[in-house]
Structures are given as C-alpha cells and as structure tokens.
Amino acid sequence: MTNTDLTATVAPAFIPSPATPYQGDIARYWDHEARPVNLRLGDVDGLYHHHYGIGDIDHAALGDTEDSTYEKKLIAELHRLESAQAEVLLDHLGSIGRDSTLVDAGCGRGGSMVMAHQRFGCKVEGVTLSAKQADFANRRAHELGIDDSVRARVCNMLAMPFETGQAAASWNNESSMYVDLDDLFAEHSRVLGVGGRYVTITGCWNPRYGQPSKWVSQINAHFECNIHSRREYMRAMADNRLVPQAVIDLTPATLPYWELRATSSLVTGIEEAFINSYKDGSFQYLLIAADRV
Ligand SMILES: C[S@@+](CC[C@H](N)C(=O)[O-])C[C@H]1O[C@@H](n2cnc3c(N)ncnc32)[C@H](O)[C@@H]1O
Ligand SMILES: CC(C)=CCC/C(C)=C/COP(=O)(O)OP(=O)(O)O
Ligand SMILES: [Mg+2]
C-alpha cells in the first residue's frame, strides 16, 4: 500500500466558501500538505494521521541503528505510536453502539475515523476545511469498503451539518487550535445528545508558565494555528455544558515519540520546539474527556 495507490473513483468533495479569510488560509495549508513524515507513516498500514504519538519506544522492534532496515522500522514505530494515541482517544468515548453516529471535527485524512468505525462498527462523520483531505479520506473509506459508514465532508466545524443531538460522541484530535473555543464547544454541545461524550487531545500552553513561551509561538507560526491555554479549555467547556470526567496529562507519554522522531530522516524542523516546550513546562499535551450535560 502506498498513498499513490489511491486511485479509486469517488465523487470529489463539494467545496463551500470558507467562513473567514483565515479558514481559507487553513484550507489552502492542508490542501498543499504532503510531508513525508505523514505520508510515509500512513503508508505503513493505510491509516493516515495528522497527530502525534504516545507511549514507550519498543527498542527491540527498532533493532540496531546500523541495520539497513532501521529507517523502515523507525517509521513503523512512529506510526505505531500515532495509532496508539488515537486508540487512547477512542478509549474515552465510552460505550458506542453500532447504530450510533460519531463526529470527528477536523478529521484530516481520516485515520481516526477508520479506527473508530473498525472498533465500534458505527457511522463516523468527519469534517475538514480541506477538499484534498476529504477526498483522500473518502477514497480510503471506499477502498476499505466502509464508505457507507465513514464519510468526510468539507465543512467548518463551527457550523456542522448535523442535527441537534444527533451524535453519541464527538472529538477534536489536534484540531481545536484553529478555532475559538467558545464557538467550538457550543457547536459540539449542540450536536451531542445529553449524556453524549466529547473528547479532545490537544497541545495547550500552561498557565503556570505565565504566557505562551517562544516555543509555543514557534509552533503557532509553523502551523498557522493559535494554541489555547489549559485554562481556556476548562472555562469554555464549563460555559458550554461540557463537564470534564477525565483530564490526562499526556506530556510524559509523548516525549519519547518526539525524541525518536528528532533522530529520523523525516524531521520537519519543529521537533526542537515541541521537545523544549514540553521540557520547560510551558506546553502540555492533554486529553480531556467531558460529558454533555
Ligand atoms: C492537525 S490536523 C488533525 C487531523 C486529524 N484530527 C488527525 O488526528 O489526523 C487539523 C485538521 O483540522 C482541520 N480544521 C482546522 N480548522 C477547521 C475548521 N474550522 N473546520 C473544520 N476543520 C478544521 C484541518 O482541515 C485539518 O484537517
Ligand atoms: C499539538 C499541536 C499544537 C498540534 C498542532 C496541530 C497539528 C498541525 C498537528 C499535527 O499535524 P501533522 O501530523 O500534519 O504535523 P507533522 O507534519 O509535524 O507531523
Ligand atoms: Mg504528523
């Protein structure tokens, strides 16, 4: 399997006008994104992620750095850690029936949507600003024969095409730093039924540090995003009927991923900012699971 094998014919995504000039910039950013660190990892098993990894490195699986197969094993290991991150997010969705609908807000190339469908057997609806990403995700779903259950659409996550109370659970996997949190949680709260579950995995700046550090500013500039503080997440959830049930600091769990990635040929130049900001305490990798009350 390689990303160039995605030749199945599916109807191209309908492209609505972006709600703001900023959203137009973000749509263009993701339409043009083709970093090897994302495509080569996705090629390992056909799950394409745009999020980072968690968990301990399996040094036995990596083997000797001098071995000719080491780089291939390193790519597989980084990918395993990224899929492990998505598994942990799915673990926090609660019990999901086959007749449920899940919503992936900011779905990227759809890796987490496929994993959610494979685990729960239910419908998974994704939205992204990028038509290229939506087409990619829909082609993968078509190839896997799950396109009647897994669908990506080009759409603003602040105005999703779902009925009020339609979703059993919804999530943002590293996509909440592109939107205002009050607007975002108001929309999740609307599409979730009472008792529904919302989960995010996100990077946020730590109020204990004082203000966003230079590393956090570097990450914002690199991705054209706007990282929020942990306090903003808590406040915006409280204001929008989302009550946190679990807040897990995944920072120690993601550091091994970054340190391994920094040694690979697939580095993008942002590794130092993540490693330094996690180490100086200015930035945290957080999972928040909340009940819609
Ligand atoms: C870093 S990627 C994460 C992708 C995916 N959640 C994953 O884990 O692979 C960020 C995603 O957020 C999406 N995004 C950003 N702002 C958005 C908005 N206002 N509405 C919908 N999607 C948005 C981008 O199009 C992109 O797909
Ligand atoms: C935790 C934070 C602050 C994330 C910002 C959002 C983002 C761009 C995530 C990873 O995308 P990617 O997988 O396309 O990035 P990369 O190319 O670096 O792997
Ligand atoms: Mg990546």
Side-chain angles (χ1 to χ4, degrees), residues 29-30 33 35 37-38 41 49-52 82 109 133 173-178 201-204 219-220 222-223 225 227 257-258 261 266 268 270-271 274 278 283-285:
Y29 177 96
W30 289 107
E33 188 282 334
R35 290 184 284 275
V37 73
N38 297 314
L41 267 62
H49 300 306
H50 286 283
H51 59 248
Y52 300 122
E82 291 188 2
R109 286 188 158 95
Q133 287 191 328
N173 198 349
E174 297 189 17
S175 54
S176 51
M177 57 289 291
Y178 294 95
I201 295 184
T202 190
C204 57
I219 297 168
N220 277 336
H222 185 85
F223 291 114
C225 67
I227 291 164
Y257 164 90
W258 282 103
R261 174 167 153 159
L266 302 179
T268 62
I270 201 61
E271 290 76 14
F274 276 90
Y278 285 143
F283 189 48
Q284 290 181 310
Y285 198 47

Side-chain angles (χ1 to χ4, degrees), residues 14-29 31 128-131 154-159:
F14 166 72
I15 310 173
S17 304
T20 59
Y22 172 75
Q23 288 192 5
D25 290 343
I26 300 306
R28 273 186 293 279
Y29 177 96
D31 276 349
T128 168
L129 291 176
S130 159
V154 184
C155 168
N156 176 9
M157 65 170 99
L158 303 179

Side-chain angles (χ1 to χ4, degrees), residues 60-137:
L62 275 178
D64 190 343
T65 53
E66 300 302 314
D67 198 293
S68 61
T69 60
Y70 180 77
E71 185 69 10
K72 192 167 175 235
K73 290 177 184 162
L74 184 136
I75 287 169
E77 183 63 3
L78 290 173
H79 183 64
R80 184 182 71 79
L81 299 176
E82 291 188 2
S83 288
Q85 188 263 31
E87 295 287 6
V88 168
L89 188 154
L90 299 180
D91 288 345
H92 286 83
L93 293 181
S95 79
I96 302 293
R98 294 180 69 83
D99 54 350
S100 299
T101 297
L102 301 178
V103 170
D104 184 347
C107 64
R109 286 188 158 95
S112 304
M113 288 201 290
V114 171
M115 290 173 66
H117 173 74
Q118 287 173 342
R119 187 189 290 210
F120 302 114
C122 66
K123 270 201 162 30
V124 189
E125 296 273 4
V127 298
T128 168
L129 291 176
S130 159
K132 289 273 165 54
Q133 287 191 328
D135 285 343
F136 191 102

Side-chain angles (χ1 to χ4, degrees), residues 204-216 227 273 276-284:
C204 57
W205 64 266
N206 187 352
R208 284 186 62 177
Y209 189 83
Q211 285 288 315
S213 66
K214 64 183 174 189
W215 306 117
V216 170
I227 291 164
N276 288 343
S277 59
Y278 285 143
K279 285 191 170 168
D280 72 13
S282 63
F283 189 48
Q284 290 181 310

Side-chain angles (χ1 to χ4, degrees), residues 179-187 235-237 239-240:
V179 288
D180 176 275
L181 290 184
D182 258 310
D183 295 344
L184 177 68
F185 295 146
E187 181 63 349
R235 205 179 256 174
M237 281 190 185
D239 286 346
N240 288 284

